[in-house]
Amino acid sequence: MESNQSSGESVTAIAPCRVDLAGGTLDIWPLYLFHSGAVTVNFAVNVLTRCRIAPLSGNRIELKSLDTGKSDTFRSIDELCGAKKFAHPLAAQLVRFFAPAGGFSLETHSESPAGAGISGSSALMVATTAALARFTGRELTLEDIRVVAQNVEAQLIRVPTGCQDYYPALYGGVSAIHLEADGIHRQAVPVASEEIDSRCVLAYTGAPRQSGINNWKVFKAHIDGDKKVFRNFEQIAAIARALHEALSNGDWNEVAALLRQEWKLRKTNAPRISTPLIEKLIRVATKNGARAAKVCGAGGGGCVVFLGEPEAKQRIENAIRDSGGVILPCQVATEGLSLSGSTAAAVQLASK
């Protein structure tokens, strides 16, 4: 196994999770190529993932997830590459790709609860990719990091991966991710982060027992020419385009109406996306001022984002807590991927 020379110094990378607002599932290649003007809208949220790598003497490799408590130890990179099972497969798969020379410890931590649907795994893929690139002296642009993280995550989960989850982790802020024939183009949405901070509530309803949306099943049906699935995606794309415009114009009445449309459509297409607890939280939140709500990610549990007027936010949070939901931070992470531990970053973070 050919290895890459490590920098010999510790490095830490941090990347935020995301809340998806509209256009989900469209971001899986090549589905978006069949829907003109396809766009996904999301924002980076101040729920963070971290990866820290430190050199060790000799060839010993230690991988540890601080939030799950799972760990792996190997005598060398060759032993790691020859292993069939891992306690920390995300870290192991990326270490295989970068193949650092010599010994090191790699620790990860995610503030995202299990199965939250806010792309904790994708954000951690970005942080770990960036840290390993720096540690091995690989010069990667942000787009390079996105490609590596997305492709290695596909190897890990063994189904196609969408692209939207990586951009909030890389750039922070509020994003419209345009999905075109000539490539993927991230556009910052000109909305003040304070507007979202004051209106949005993020609640965790517990880890899903099963995903509400089976993206592989939907993907296959679309490729196989299912006309109903195609029409559903046309509606998803239209809602996402309209929501992008409404957010850009600060039209919160229209944003709320479109989020309600998105949620209604998602439930019609995949009834298992919701749960009794999710329905209960939406009811009590609505009674206390929430104007719209939708599940994050594939649903079946996980997180729900609620939209209300600023003066109703505290009432909404209290009602959700009283009804069994767990309130998570819901402030826009205005900064994306960050690296520390070096003065001359090999990852070109300036290429935003």
Side-chain angles (χ1 to χ4, degrees), residues 205 263 273-283 295 299-304 306:
T205 68
W263 177 232
I273 194 172
S274 194
T275 67
L277 179 56
I278 288 172
E279 292 299 314
K280 178 184 178 182
L281 295 184
I282 291 176
R283 284 196 304 272
V295 159
C303 285
V304 181
F306 300 83

Side-chain angles (χ1 to χ4, degrees), residues 68 73 96 100 110 119 127 178 208 210 307 318 340 348:
T68 68
T73 302
R96 273 179 167 174
S110 175
S119 295
H178 299 276
Q210 57 186 2
L307 178 70
N318 291 341
S340 61
Q348 302 299 315

Side-chain angles (χ1 to χ4, degrees), residues 35-51:
H35 301 277
S36 179
V39 64
T40 294
V41 184
N42 58 35
F43 66 87
V45 68
N46 196 30
V47 179
L48 304 179
T49 65
R50 297 174 175 83
C51 176

Side-chain angles (χ1 to χ4, degrees), residues 238-288:
I239 290 170
R241 288 192 297 271
L243 192 138
H244 175 213
E245 182 177 359
L247 262 184
S248 299
N249 294 332
D251 186 346
W252 292 101
N253 289 330
E254 184 68 4
V255 170
L258 290 164
L259 284 177
R260 291 194 296 269
Q261 287 182 40
E262 161 88 7
W263 177 232
K264 183 179 179 181
L265 181 61
R266 294 281 177 177
K267 285 206 296 181
T268 300
N269 294 342
R272 292 187 305 175
I273 194 172
S274 194
T275 67
L277 179 56
I278 288 172
E279 292 299 314
K280 178 184 178 182
L281 295 184
I282 291 176
R283 284 196 304 272
V284 300
T286 300
K287 288 179 181 178
N288 284 275

